């Protein structure tokens, strides 16, 4: 039997009060200082992956009020300082690429590297001083990424490269006042960018293993350098559902980004890939601790993607869980979803997996459900809830790879 939301909250407060009294009596010290409360499982905050264009002043003013985390390109130092001025609590991270160096206009200026780089090591500096840092294939050719002209794969397994990247980026972050780094392309396989097999390896699998092991080392070097300086490192970890433990390991210096959160398996049975493998367990554990950032991005082509993405993020509710829709490929505009102003409040219990495979979670002011399977499920939500359009709901027919967000009705006038 599902209790009405108001009764559930009253019961929760009663249970909490009983536990406090029991604890005090057991210790024999009523009124003694209580231990710190666990982190508040708030509904997902909003964040802005602002790497597609230079932000305008109106966008910065809006961002300072709307977002908890903003990621900017390295040259946007005035924008970073403006955000800190408008909101001292906001986290502003600088974009840096883990795996490539680049020689497109803006990254280089003739034979010189730009002052502020999208990568850790400049193309021209590597060309002159360390050509061995460029990865090469079995025929000793440098590897340019398919679909990304003038992006060159680097030898991320080279210890000297790792240390140079870490030193250069940490020094820049400290000197300019960034809060940390968003490190892109902490990837699982080279095959998204190139069909090359790396020199010294004999197969795609060996190539990918060399890259993953190298990125493990680069993460360690950069994470330690930034942590020592009081800064955070948030890598964009790809396909961690394929490698148990990778998300947890790579989020240990301040968090991690999931750029394909709530991604639907179009080529398979239509399920949500995020819920496969060990990744979902690792995401839930990190969110529950509330000590590092989960920066989640859902590629949105329509309402179903948006609902599934936000509701899945709400299942991970926590003080450092942030979500954004992505309606453009190049992130050239700030994003916002009406779901982000639904007013769910804080979660009042953990996310629950129903026998149907659907996940649900109750909040102070609402309820969410996500169907990660490929088949429709029929659900009975808590009594008295309405859609964001104000329609009362007693039964939900939730298609596969979809989500729903229901809220308490507004108080009567």
């Amino acid at each position: 039997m599902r209790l009405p939301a108001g009764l559930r909250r009253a019961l929760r407060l009663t249970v909490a009060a009983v536990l406090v009294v029991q604890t005090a009596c057991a210790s024999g010290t009523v009124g003694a200082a209580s231990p710190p409360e666990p982190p508040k499982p708030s509904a997902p905050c909003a964040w802005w992956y602002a790497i597609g264009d230079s932000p305008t002043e109106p966008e910065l003013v809006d961002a300072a009020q709307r977002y908890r985390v903003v990621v900017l390109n390295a040259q946007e130092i005035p924008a970073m300082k403006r955000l800190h001025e408008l909101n001292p609590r906001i986290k502003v991270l600088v974009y840096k690429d883990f795996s490539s160096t680049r020689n497109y206009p803006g990254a280089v200026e003739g034979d010189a590297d730009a002052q502020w780089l999208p990568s850790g090591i400049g193309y021209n500096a590597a060309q002159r001083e360390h050509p061995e840092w460029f990865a090469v294939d079995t025929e000793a050719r440098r590897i340019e990424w398919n679909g990304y002209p003038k992006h060159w794969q680097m030898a991320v397994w080279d210890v000297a490269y790792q240390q140079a990247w870490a030193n250069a980026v940490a020094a820049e972050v400290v000197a300019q006042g960034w809060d940390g780094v968003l490190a892109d392309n902490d990837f699982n396989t080279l095959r998204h960018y190139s069909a090359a097999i790396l020199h010294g390896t004999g197969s795609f699998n060996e190539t990918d293993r060399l890259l993953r092991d190298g990125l493990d080392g680069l993460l360690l070097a950069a994470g330690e350098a930034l942590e020592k300086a009081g800064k955070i490192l948030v890598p964009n970890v790809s396909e961690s559902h394929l490698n148990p433990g990778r998300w947890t390991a790579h989020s240990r210096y301040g968090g991690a980004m999931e750029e394909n959160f709530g991604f639907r398996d179009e080529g398979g049975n239509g399920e949500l890939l995020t819920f496969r493998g060990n990744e979902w367990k690792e995401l839930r554990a990190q969110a529950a601790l509330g000590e590092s950032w989960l920066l989640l991005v859902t590629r949105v082509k329509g309402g179903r993607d948006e609902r599934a993405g936000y509701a899945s993020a709400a299942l991970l509710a926590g003080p450092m869980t942030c979500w954004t829709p992505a309606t453009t490929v190049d992130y050239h505009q700030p994003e916002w979803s009406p779901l982000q102003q639904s007013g769910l409040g804080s979660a009042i219990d953990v996310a629950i997996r129903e026998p149907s495979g659907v996940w649900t979670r109750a909040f102070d002011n609402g309820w969410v459900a996500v169907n990660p399977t490929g088949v429709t499920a029929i659900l009975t939500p808590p009594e008295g809830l309405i859609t964001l359009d104000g329609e009362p709901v007693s039964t939900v027919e939730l298609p596969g790879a979809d989500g729903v967000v229901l809220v308490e009705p507004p108080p009567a006038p």
Side-chain angles (χ1 to χ4, degrees):
M1 179 180 69
R2 294 182 181 275
L3 298 175
L7 181 55
R8 290 201 314 275
R9 288 198 298 275
L11 287 172
R12 178 173 174 251
L13 291 172
T14 301
V15 171
V18 170
L19 289 174
V20 168
V21 171
Q22 288 178 338
T23 301
C25 292
S27 66
T29 315
V30 178
S34 57
E37 293 187 3
K40 194 172 184 181
S42 308
C45 59
W47 73 290
W48 184 17
Y49 196 36
I51 64 169
D53 202 355
S54 293
T56 64
E57 173 64 15
E59 287 173 343
L60 292 173
V61 171
D62 188 55
Q65 301 171 9
R66 175 173 281 183
Y67 303 118
R68 292 274 309 280
V69 178
V70 175
V71 179
L72 297 171
N73 290 312
Q75 69 270 22
E76 304 293 350
I77 296 169
M80 173 265 290
K81 292 183 177 179
R82 178 66 172 143
L83 285 170
H84 281 151
E85 175 186 304
L86 291 165
N87 180 1
R89 293 177 296 177
I90 199 168
K91 291 291 184 184
V92 190
L93 308 181
V94 62
Y95 176 96
K96 294 290 181 179
D97 192 81
F98 253 170
S99 296
S100 74
T101 191
R102 306 172 184 184
N103 66 331
Y104 51 68
V108 297
E109 299 169 356
D111 293 333
D113 293 314
Q115 182 178 12
W116 310 116
L117 299 170
S119 54
I121 301 297
Y123 176 90
N124 285 309
Q127 173 95 321
R128 287 192 309 269
E129 301 166 20
H130 292 283
E132 73 278 8
W133 288 352
F134 288 88
V136 295
D137 63 15
T138 53
E139 297 184 14
R141 296 173 302 193
R142 291 181 181 177
I143 299 168
E144 186 176 15
W145 288 355
N146 296 332
Y148 296 88
K150 301 184 183 300
H151 291 56
W152 302 91
Q153 178 63 46
M154 301 301 279
V156 295
W157 57 90
D158 187 299
V159 174
Y161 172 81
Q162 295 171 358
Q163 200 58 58
W165 196 103
N167 292 344
V169 170
E172 179 183 335
V173 167
V174 171
Q176 301 308 318
W178 298 95
D179 294 308
V181 175
L182 188 292
D184 199 9
N185 288 305
D186 184 4
F187 52 55
N188 174 66
T189 176
L190 182 60
R191 278 168 279 181
H192 293 304
Y193 293 129
S194 174
I197 293 177
L198 291 171
H199 177 74
T201 69
S203 67
F204 290 128
N205 287 339
E206 288 182 16
T207 283
D208 292 341
R209 170 57 65 187
L210 178 61
L211 286 172
R212 286 196 299 270
D213 289 348
L215 288 165
D216 289 347
L218 178 52
L219 177 103
L220 176 63
E224 292 292 326
L226 289 163
E227 185 176 70
K228 187 176 181 180
K231 307 295 183 177
I232 64 173
L233 174 65
V234 179
N236 181 2
V237 185
S238 71
E239 299 180 312
S240 61
H241 63 280
L242 299 176
N243 298 282
R246 186 172 177 83
W247 178 275
T248 300
H250 282 229
S251 63
R252 67 186 186 272
Y253 291 107
M257 171 183 171
E258 171 56 271
E259 196 173 7
N260 292 296
F261 183 75
F263 184 75
R264 190 165 63 249
D265 184 6
E266 301 282 10
N269 56 14
E271 296 180 351
L272 296 178
L273 290 177
T274 301
F275 292 77
R276 288 188 188 173
N278 206 58
E279 179 184 11
W280 183 244
K281 295 178 182 178
E282 295 180 52
L283 291 170
R284 291 185 69 201
Q286 182 185 344
L289 285 174
E291 297 175 348
S292 56
W293 294 102
L294 283 83
L295 301 184
L296 311 173
V297 181
T298 299
R299 304 284 181 175
V300 171
K301 298 178 183 177
R304 181 164 73 164
D305 299 327
E306 189 172 6
R307 291 188 300 270
Y310 180 79
S312 297
L315 295 175
L316 301 173
M320 301 180 78
T321 299
C322 294
W323 177 83
T324 184
T327 59
T328 64
V329 176
D330 60 1
Y331 302 105
H332 71 267
Q333 64 184 28
E335 298 279 8
W336 185 254
S337 165
L339 294 170
Q340 291 173 297
Q341 54 192 26
S342 56
L344 284 172
S346 295
I348 61 175
D349 58 18
V350 298
I352 298 170
R353 187 179 186 273
E354 307 287 352
S356 63
V358 172
W359 286 82
T360 64
R361 193 168 195 183
F363 286 76
D364 287 328
N365 303 315
W367 177 83
V368 302
V370 177
N371 183 1
T373 77
V375 297
T376 298
I378 306 299
L379 307 173
T380 301
E383 296 176 9
L385 299 181
I386 61 174
T387 67
L388 297 189
D389 295 326
E391 297 295 325
V393 177
S394 59
T395 302
V396 174
E397 185 175 326
L398 191 59
D402 204 345
V404 63
V405 178
L406 303 178
V407 295
E408 296 272 10

